[in-house]
């Protein structure tokens, strides 16, 4: 299957993408991984992207699109893929359609993870990260440390990253509503969108997602 995963920041896209890609036996292709891989390997596209990032500029759509195209042409994606973070706007969605049509392919579905805005803010703004090891992550509501402000694993100080502050989260949501949310209507016009609630336990959301995607496979 060829799937696009969409949803606001804090919807759990990365977590769900990993489980879904395994269940569907397709590669999980995320924009973040694409950028890191290209920059780390010093590819032509990675060097170009880094030049924009170093200046504090947004990486142009055409660079992101070229990275995604290169990744989707690799052998492990021949039978399908799960895209996470791409397309990010309607222009990228149109470019993806053109790419697939050129190869005689099309998307099978677009999975929209729905989360109330207040829950998004609660999920992200409640995160606390260890200063000693950023992989040690806690949450004031969902996964509190035994002692407030202290990492259970190493005793390091827990802090809230600037990116996780409520003001920053709400600004990220504004960007999502303005730039990314319109692709849902774009794909709805093609009859591709299935929307599920992303509330609840991870495995419950995964089950909902698999059932929704199964219905799209049946429609194909």
């Amino acid at each position: 299957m060829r799937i696009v995963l969409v949803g606001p920041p804090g919807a759990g896209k990365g977590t769900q993408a990993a489980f879904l890609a395994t269940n569907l036996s397709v590669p999980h292709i995320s924009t973040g991984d694409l950028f890191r891989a290209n920059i780390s390997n010093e590819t032509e596209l990675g060097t170009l992207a880094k030049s924009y990032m170093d200046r504090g500029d947004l990486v142009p759509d055409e660079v992101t699109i070229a990275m995604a195209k290169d990744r989707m042409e690799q052998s492990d994606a021949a039978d399908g893929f799960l895209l996470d973070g791409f397309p990010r706007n309607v222009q990228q969605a149109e470019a993806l359609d053109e790419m697939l049509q050129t190869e005689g392919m099309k998307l099978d579905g677009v999975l929209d993870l729905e989360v109330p805005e207040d829950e998004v803010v609660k999920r992200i703004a409640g995160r606390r990260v260890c200063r000693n090891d950023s992989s040690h992550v806690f949450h004031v509501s969902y996964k509190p440390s035994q002692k407030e402000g202290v990492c259970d694993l190493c005793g390091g100080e827990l802090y809230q990253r600037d990116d996780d502050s409520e003001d920053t989260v709400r600004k990220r949501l504004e960007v999502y509503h303005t730039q990314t949310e319109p692709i849902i209507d774009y794909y709805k016009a093609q009859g591709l969108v299935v929307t599920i609630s992303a509330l609840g336990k991870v495995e419950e959301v995964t089950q909902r997602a698999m059932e929704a995607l199964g219905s799209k496979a049946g429609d194909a």
Side-chain angles (χ1 to χ4, degrees):
M1 293 186 78
R2 295 176 180 87
I3 305 296
V4 167
L5 187 61
V6 296
K13 292 189 297 298
T15 300
Q16 288 304 321
F19 283 107
L20 292 171
T22 298
N23 287 336
L24 296 169
S25 299
V26 296
H28 167 208
I29 301 175
S30 81
T31 306
D33 289 344
L34 286 177
F35 274 80
R36 282 188 288 272
N38 277 274
I39 291 172
S40 174
N41 294 327
E42 298 183 345
T43 67
E44 184 177 343
L45 288 170
T47 301
L48 183 58
K50 190 173 185 298
S51 69
Y52 286 98
M53 295 163 71
D54 286 347
R55 294 197 300 269
D57 296 333
L58 291 174
V59 178
D61 279 346
E62 55 265 27
V63 177
T64 304
I65 292 165
M67 284 186 186
K69 181 176 186 295
D70 179 68
R71 179 64 185 87
M72 286 186 287
E73 288 175 346
Q74 293 178 24
S75 59
D76 66 334
D79 295 326
F81 47 73
L82 192 150
L83 295 175
D84 167 19
F86 176 84
R88 195 174 290 275
N89 55 46
V90 172
Q91 181 181 338
Q92 291 183 3
E94 291 171 343
L96 175 60
D97 279 349
E98 290 178 12
M99 269 188 267
L100 294 175
Q101 287 167 8
T102 299
E103 300 297 326
M105 298 183 294
K106 62 183 179 63
L107 289 176
D108 294 297
V110 175
L111 181 64
D112 172 28
L113 299 182
E114 192 172 65
V115 185
E117 193 158 306
D118 286 345
E119 175 64 17
V120 168
V121 174
K122 183 179 179 181
R123 285 183 180 186
I124 299 178
R127 280 197 299 232
R128 297 294 182 268
V129 181
C130 178
R131 288 196 187 276
N132 292 344
D133 188 331
S134 60
S135 69
H136 299 170
V137 181
F138 296 82
H139 193 283
V140 295
S141 299
Y142 304 129
K143 187 187 174 184
S145 57
Q146 293 179 10
K147 183 177 180 182
E148 185 177 352
V150 179
C151 176
D152 290 348
L153 302 174
C154 70
E157 178 193 358
L158 297 179
Y159 75 106
Q160 182 187 56
R161 298 183 307 184
D162 290 342
D163 284 351
D164 291 344
S165 71
E166 182 172 340
D167 286 346
T168 302
V169 174
R170 293 198 181 278
K171 287 175 184 175
R172 289 169 62 191
L173 283 167
E174 286 178 18
V175 172
Y176 172 76
H177 292 317
T178 303
Q179 295 184 10
T180 305
E181 206 167 43
I183 73 173
I184 297 174
D185 287 333
Y186 173 82
Y187 284 126
K188 276 183 177 177
Q190 300 180 36
L192 290 171
V193 177
V194 287
T195 300
I196 66 165
S197 169
L199 297 177
K201 296 179 180 178
V202 170
E203 57 270 23
E204 293 172 347
V205 179
T206 303
Q207 182 63 32
R208 274 182 227 135
M210 289 300 295
E211 290 173 359
L213 293 174
S215 72
K216 293 307 295 180
D219 293 341

